[in-house]
Amino acid sequence: MEIIPRVMTRQRLSLLTPLALLGLLVGLADLSHGSAGVDEDYYMQELLTREQYNQVQMQEKPVASIPDRHEHPSQKPGKKVPKGKADSSRQTDKTTADAKSVKIANKKAEKNKKSALKTNRISEGEGRYNSIKEECPPMGLETLKIDDFQLHASTTKRYGLGAHRGRLNIQAGLYEDDLYDGAWCAGRDDPLQWFEVDARRLTKFTGVITQGRSSLWSSDWVTSYKVMVSNDSHTWITLKNGSKDFIFIGNREKEIPVRNIFPAPVVGRYIRVNPRSWFHIGNICMRVEILGCPMPDPNNYYHRRNEVITTDDLDFRHHSYKEMRQLMKVVNEMCPNITRIYNIGKSYSGLKLYAIEISDNPGEHEVGEPEFRYTAGSHGNEVLGRELLLLLMQFMCLEYMSGNQRIRHLVKETRIHLLPSVNPDGYEKAFEVGSELSGWSLGRWSNDGIDIHHNFPDLNSILWEAEAKKWIPRKMFNHYVPIPEWYLFKNASVAVETRALIAWMEKMPFVLGGNIQGGELVVTFPYDKTRSQGVGREQTPTPDDHVFRWLAFSYASTHRLMTTANQRVCHTEDFAKEDGTINGASWHTAPGSMNDFSYLHTNCFELSMYVGCDKFPHESELPEEWENNRESLLVFMEQVHRGIKGVVRDLQGRGIANAIISVEGISHDIRTASDGDYWRLLNPGEYRVTARAEGYSVTTKKCEVGYAMGATTCNFIIGRTNLSRIKEIMEKFNKQPIRLPLRQLQSQRSRERRMGTQ
């Protein structure tokens, strides 16, 4: 049962005024709306509750609230906001008029009263968020810049629901336990509870963002709260609405973030959120982010220790689709000799999927030069990868022009493709809402509701069934597993973006690729699907497991945070103990992943890089995120030159396409490109390598891979077999016996001799 909120000071509890009581009763009435389902899939659950929330908001009557002092200047007056809006609180007309008088002192009182109904429309229900002039960025609860020792609470239900779990968008595991649950939950449900953040320095606080508890089984969220600040954690000042404590409207369900901007910024070191009411059949549980700007303090130890500064002069901001396209055009104009822009297809809503090529001969595949790709944004709300690739293309262009030998060598020896936004439709949804308010899943899917990254055909099952029936290699190859026919039907549940990716992957002879994801700090490698049916997670290695482990480690070990010993877990998994890498199926099974498809259907070894706990970091975080990932992005690209490479030619020196390259002891082959060149990723060692092609003799040789960067050249020259020559001659004579014309000639001459004798 919900406790009726009471006005709390540090030393005593006082009775509510009639006006405040009326406002709180209205707040309690909001709780009558239905609770969120607890047995639904978590991503779909948020999607449904967001839609239901919007419908409820549109049906309710507007409630007067204090207008935001940081309102966007372009906002029209007279706009009204439904009950429970994220950035408004119930206030009296007198207080509202006082707040507005700062801006419109020369206006009439009647106009002031009407303006009190205007809001800044920063609301999760509306889905339209205007900028706020003086809003501070998030302090970093979600990104882990605020560490566990800076979070405190009055009481906790158990360790797994402690203050350290009260971070915005933190996720609980499927099986909730005492270690990794999805919120801070108070040990008692009463209005004396609080959640506290120690900024460790004087900070200008401007707002709070809250969510309920991440859980498949429980429905817990706070519906209203107070905010208090302190300089010493002993004396607390409650934010006031005139002479009364300010009551902020909280959440109406557990997943959609709600942001409240303070009427005026407050300065202090500590800030507390004091829940006053909560869902009537739930408990006090919160996930929180604090908006705050650190005050100047050059002597602050914690600030100096955590500060990361980049020296790269790049465009550090989030880009809309139009701005992304313009930025790519600018890079192309700056470096026209090494870049080319092209598109691989269109999204569901018709947006082109733009890619940029970086090479010394753009638009041309050079024999012996490997092709590499980075993709990002298959989940539209995981936007850090998109911005990292936009930063990477800027960086490579500028460094190439400045004469950076490392970048020049990479561009000269590699054909690089960067596809920053696989799902631009989903990104636009998340971008419109903003970095802190899109929640965990808004924009994840394509416009037709498909998870693009896991929308590829399940070739694992086809291969494993063939292996069980001993069809390999007699009836089926251990590579280039064909796509099933049903998948190619027009009415199959395949996103247009997925079809575009597959066509691109089949056209280009990619050797190595990385798709950049968000929400975790780990690099995953195939297989992503468990081999045992019905098993949710188990180690499922590929024949190239040792190579994949090295590739994953090459990225994770050069990332600033992935292998840090004291790095706390983002959500429920401690990947640091595995050096920041994990086999995908060992984490969770995922049939039809891009990684597995790429490995089984093409020559390309594909991995997933989860580059941050925060899927959509604030713009102010981008410089630091670039520093976290810059070296990793470059090092991983350089791995495309590890292993062996060469050209398979016939006796006349012509390249042979589709020749099969096999490595003894590894039951996964690759094939040559159209010019006969190939690249086989291998770890250092000595290998017996075989080249074969239909109609040609089989050739085997030893190839040694060293530790130094640079693939070992291992060329093959193979001749036609006698059988293939016979078949060629038979084809030339329409498959007639090759001696038939000679016998016919001899028979004719014999008849002629007999006739001459007669």
Side-chain angles (χ1 to χ4, degrees), residues 2-3 5 24 27-28 30-31 84 90 210 220-225 247-253 258 260 275-280 283-286:
E2 186 167 325
I3 305 297
L24 292 172
L28 291 176
D30 291 344
L31 304 181
R90 298 178 177 85
T210 60
D220 304 311
W221 60 86
V222 170
T223 56
S224 68
Y225 59 88
I247 304 294
F248 293 94
I249 302 302
N251 298 84
R252 301 188 51 146
E253 56 81 63
V258 172
N260 278 296
R276 305 302 297 172
S277 61
W278 47 95
F279 185 47
H280 66 283
N283 304 110
I284 296 178
C285 295
M286 301 184 77

Side-chain angles (χ1 to χ4, degrees), residues 460 464 525-532 537-543 545 549 583-586 589 596:
N460 305 58
W464 294 337
F525 51 90
Y527 290 122
D528 288 335
K529 179 184 177 180
T530 57
R531 186 154 190 163
S532 301
R537 51 194 300 174
E538 71 173 1
Q539 192 78 19
T540 310
T542 66
D545 188 59
R549 288 183 180 277
N583 171 252
S586 182
T589 186
D596 288 2

Side-chain angles (χ1 to χ4, degrees), residues 124-135:
E124 70 287 356
E126 293 290 335
R128 295 184 294 274
Y129 299 83
N130 294 326
S131 61
I132 298 177
K133 293 180 182 178
E134 296 183 47
E135 181 185 333

Side-chain angles (χ1 to χ4, degrees), residues 11-57:
Q11 296 180 338
R12 70 183 189 277
L13 300 175
S14 61
L15 296 176
L16 292 171
T17 65
L19 185 60
L21 178 60
L22 177 62
L24 292 172
L25 289 175
V26 174
L28 291 176
D30 291 344
L31 304 181
S32 61
H33 297 288
S35 62
V38 297
D39 293 326
E40 300 166 9
D41 175 80
Y42 219 64
Y43 286 130
M44 190 57 66
Q45 177 174 306
E46 181 184 342
L47 184 68
L48 293 174
T49 54
R50 191 180 287 270
E51 182 178 353
Q52 294 166 0
Y53 188 88
N54 294 348
Q55 293 173 355
V56 171
Q57 295 289 62

Side-chain angles (χ1 to χ4, degrees), residues 666-678:
I666 302 177
S667 58
H668 180 81
D669 303 335
I670 62 162
R671 299 195 185 189
T672 58
S674 57
D675 295 318
D677 47 350
Y678 77 91

Side-chain angles (χ1 to χ4, degrees), residues 39-190:
D39 293 326
E40 300 166 9
D41 175 80
Y42 219 64
Y43 286 130
M44 190 57 66
Q45 177 174 306
E46 181 184 342
L47 184 68
L48 293 174
T49 54
R50 191 180 287 270
E51 182 178 353
Q52 294 166 0
Y53 188 88
N54 294 348
Q55 293 173 355
V56 171
Q57 295 289 62
M58 295 300 292
Q59 293 171 0
E60 292 183 344
K61 295 180 181 179
V63 175
S65 62
I66 285 185
D68 197 325
R69 294 186 182 181
H70 310 301
E71 216 161 15
H72 195 283
S74 64
Q75 184 179 336
K76 296 180 181 179
K79 291 289 183 181
K80 298 183 179 182
V81 62
K83 267 188 287 186
K85 283 291 186 176
D87 292 289
S88 62
S89 301
R90 298 178 177 85
Q91 304 296 325
T92 64
D93 290 344
K94 181 179 182 302
T95 305
T96 300
D98 291 340
K100 291 298 294 182
S101 64
V102 177
K103 295 182 178 179
I104 51 175
N106 60 336
K107 298 289 184 178
K108 294 180 180 181
E110 184 63 26
K111 290 185 178 180
N112 276 342
K113 186 174 181 179
K114 291 181 180 180
S115 298
L117 298 177
K118 184 172 65 173
T119 72
N120 59 1
R121 297 184 69 82
I122 301 180
S123 160
E124 70 287 356
E126 293 290 335
R128 295 184 294 274
Y129 299 83
N130 294 326
S131 61
I132 298 177
K133 293 180 182 178
E134 296 183 47
E135 181 185 333
C136 287
M139 291 180 59
L141 275 75
E142 184 176 6
T143 61
L144 307 184
K145 290 183 71 175
I146 298 294
D147 63 41
D148 289 351
F149 297 105
Q150 293 176 257
L151 304 178
H152 310 279
S154 53
T155 60
T156 58
K157 184 168 292 188
R158 61 174 183 267
Y159 176 77
L161 293 169
H164 65 291
R165 302 295 294 175
R167 300 173 180 271
L168 189 72
N169 284 321
I170 201 166
Q171 300 296 297
L174 180 62
Y175 306 104
E176 297 174 3
D177 53 36
D178 289 335
L179 294 178
Y180 302 114
D181 279 316
W184 160 68
C185 288
R188 299 187 302 272
D189 293 330
D190 62 51

